[in-house]
Amino acid sequence: MTTQDIQALSPAVPTSKGVLSRLSPLYGLLPLVAFLLFFFVGPLLLNLAESLGMTQAGIDFAQYRRIFADIYYLRVIAETIILGVAVTVICAIIGYPLAYAIARSSGLQKSLLIFAIVIPLLVNVVVRSFGWMVLLSGKGALNWVLSSFGLPTLSLMYHWGGVTIALVHVMLPFMVLSLASTLETLDPRLEEAAAVLGASRFATFRRIVLPLSLEGLMTGSILVFTLCVGSFVTVMLLGSTSTMVLPLLIYQQLNIASDWPFAAAMGMVLLTIVMSVLWLQARLRRTKWRAS
């Protein structure tokens, strides 16, 4: 066996030039990675260090013990999660028919429907919140209509009801667009075949449309929930201190009490809630893939 045959049979050892050439497509990601490290990961680490009181003496979990040992802060955390879940469920119930209408329409009708759904995102959050204050206040347009018909008026300002209505108005486009993008990929012939076989509209929705659109429903739910639990301006203007949620409590601790370590700890708790929901979504998606 000659030297050339031995070299041909021996495994090729990658050279430094070959490794660099394979990594060259990743060089374009370096500015993005640097940006995320400096403006996202860095502040998070600083916030974590502030909440833990990290000094040369060690780590102090006093701020977290203060949160989870006080029933008031536990109630605020629970109400924040409940508000997010309630808004998500309402958006899903209202958003499904709207998303289905968008997915099954075309041309000008589809463009008008999408524009009508996206309009709330084109208005500044402060202006939008003041508009809801005008509608839902004690002498607002809604109560004026009710009193004109001799019906009892509603007290929605500075109440969970008004905050929920305003947040649904804001978050609905995210749910509708997520569902519509999934429903558009469904073949209408599946529904036609189910109808030919004698399935009712509800049975077709329950056994065909809903299972095949779960991906869009899951994506929309994650978007709505994470944005809802982090909402601040809408809750502050329409709910004030009577509807306390974690973002509003963090704002008070920063600007009124000037308790930065405690505010940082509550911020990490809010981040943990969001990350837990994202982890649950990934876990459910993996389970779905394995089942299929």
Side-chain angles (χ1 to χ4, degrees):
M1 185 178 288
T2 63
T3 306
Q4 290 146 354
D5 295 333
I6 294 174
Q7 290 176 350
L9 294 174
S10 61
V13 179
T15 61
S16 59
K17 185 177 180 181
V19 173
L20 291 176
S21 63
R22 285 197 296 270
L23 293 178
S24 58
L26 301 178
Y27 293 159
L29 296 176
L30 290 178
L32 176 61
V33 173
F35 180 85
L36 290 176
L37 288 176
F38 188 79
F39 291 103
F40 183 73
V41 179
L44 284 179
L45 293 177
L46 291 176
N47 193 67
L48 178 62
E50 182 75 20
S51 67
L52 293 173
M54 297 178 66
T55 60
Q56 295 180 351
I59 298 176
D60 186 9
F61 292 94
Q63 304 301 333
Y64 292 95
R65 288 194 297 268
R66 180 180 169 188
I67 293 175
F68 293 104
D70 194 319
I71 190 64
Y72 172 74
Y73 299 123
L74 292 177
R75 188 174 73 248
V76 170
I77 294 173
E79 289 175 349
T80 303
I81 297 174
I82 292 172
L83 177 65
V85 172
V87 172
T88 302
V89 172
I90 296 173
C91 286
I93 295 173
I94 300 176
Y96 242 112
L98 295 174
Y100 189 84
I102 291 175
R104 293 294 179 260
S105 60
S106 59
L108 180 62
Q109 182 183 6
K110 185 172 186 176
S111 300
L112 291 176
L113 287 174
I114 294 176
F115 180 71
I117 293 298
V118 177
I119 280 178
L121 302 179
L122 305 179
V123 182
N124 183 271
V125 62
V126 177
V127 176
R128 189 169 56 231
S129 299
F130 274 113
W132 278 110
M133 291 175 68
V134 172
L135 289 174
L136 302 178
S137 62
K139 296 183 179 180
L142 177 61
N143 283 326
W144 178 79
V145 172
L146 292 176
S147 61
S148 300
F149 287 96
L151 298 174
T153 59
L154 299 176
S155 178
L156 294 174
M157 278 296 297
Y158 310 118
H159 188 269
W160 289 108
V163 172
T164 303
I165 292 172
L167 287 176
V168 168
H169 175 244
V170 177
M171 305 302 172
L172 188 60
F174 299 99
M175 179 66 74
V176 172
L177 295 179
S178 299
L179 283 170
S181 62
T182 303
L183 291 171
E184 284 178 342
T185 62
L186 301 184
D187 192 344
R189 290 176 297 181
L190 294 174
E191 301 174 47
E192 295 173 2
V196 170
L197 293 174
S200 62
R201 287 184 175 272
F202 178 74
T204 302
F205 171 78
R206 182 175 60 86
R207 304 187 64 175
I208 295 177
V209 178
L210 181 59
L212 294 178
S213 61
L214 281 179
E215 191 70 24
L217 177 62
M218 191 178 300
T219 302
S221 299
I222 293 298
L223 286 173
V224 172
F225 181 83
T226 53
L227 292 173
C228 184
V229 297
S231 296
F232 165 71
V233 176
T234 302
V235 181
M236 182 180 68
L237 292 178
L238 274 81
S240 187
T241 57
S242 59
T243 56
M244 185 62 65
V245 291
L246 269 177
L248 187 56
L249 191 59
I250 293 171
Y251 171 81
Q252 289 184 349
Q253 294 298 321
L254 285 174
N255 293 275
I256 299 176
S258 298
D259 194 345
W260 287 70
F262 190 49
M266 286 190 291
M268 296 307 299
V269 171
L270 181 59
L271 178 63
T272 303
I273 293 173
V274 174
M275 295 302 295
S276 299
V277 173
L278 293 176
W279 173 85
L280 180 61
Q281 180 205 22
R283 184 69 179 269
L284 292 174
R285 182 175 295 176
R286 285 197 300 269
T287 304
K288 179 184 176 183
W289 286 345
R290 290 172 184 172
S292 59

